Amino acid sequence: MADTTSELQWLKHLLQDLQVDLAAIPTLHCDNILALALALNPVHHSKLKHIEVDVHFTLDKVKDGSIRLQFVSTHDQLADLFTKGLCSPPHTYLCHQLQLGPSPPSPSVQLIQLDGFSTHPAEEGC
């Protein structure tokens, strides 16, 4: 998350140098609840020392209003379309979210509860 925060800062400064005003604060979407929780409220723990600097960098940028953090569910993670081999239903859904191709029929999204974990049926296999 710190790498992306750094990239957002670089892009923000580049746009300012080009005299382009941002209409809104850049938003960093993340599907990892723990990473978001640590970035917003860092917990000092001996096992987390290696990420402490990264967490504080992101936290500082959130506090000074340079970026916003927002949770996005794994089901709606648009980057998966480009980084993973997806089965047809999630591929079609994400293409539709990006307005690529014809509009598919509206699938009913159901979550399956397994031992306290929620999973999307399409993630379980093709």
Side-chain angles (χ1 to χ4, degrees):
M1 202 169 1
D3 290 337
T4 306
T5 301
S6 178
E7 291 290 328
L8 281 172
Q9 290 301 294
W10 181 84
L11 285 171
K12 187 176 175 180
H13 290 297
L14 175 65
L15 291 173
Q16 287 175 348
D17 289 345
L18 296 173
Q19 299 178 351
V20 175
D21 292 326
L22 293 177
I25 297 172
T27 303
L28 177 58
H29 296 116
C30 182
D31 66 351
N32 187 326
I33 294 173
L34 180 60
L36 285 173
L38 283 174
L40 295 174
N41 185 16
V43 177
H44 297 287
H45 192 275
S46 62
K47 293 183 180 180
L48 301 176
K49 284 185 180 178
H50 66 284
I51 63 170
E52 188 172 322
V53 173
D54 289 349
V55 168
H56 285 289
F57 174 71
T58 304
L59 178 62
D60 289 343
K61 296 304 172 187
V62 169
K63 282 184 177 178
D64 72 14
S66 297
I67 65 165
R68 283 184 339 130
L69 298 178
Q70 184 174 352
F71 176 75
V72 61
S73 73
T74 301
H75 171 69
D76 294 321
Q77 185 63 272
L78 296 175
D80 287 353
L81 184 62
F82 304 106
T83 60
K84 295 181 180 176
L86 299 173
C87 298
S88 183
H91 182 270
T92 304
Y93 172 76
L94 293 175
C95 283
H96 174 67
Q97 293 299 322
L98 291 173
Q99 299 179 355
L100 301 172
S103 179
S106 177
S108 62
V109 177
Q110 298 175 355
L111 295 178
I112 300 172
Q113 198 75 6
L114 297 172
D115 299 319
F117 294 99
S118 295
T119 60
H120 188 270
E123 295 174 354
E124 303 213 352
C126 295

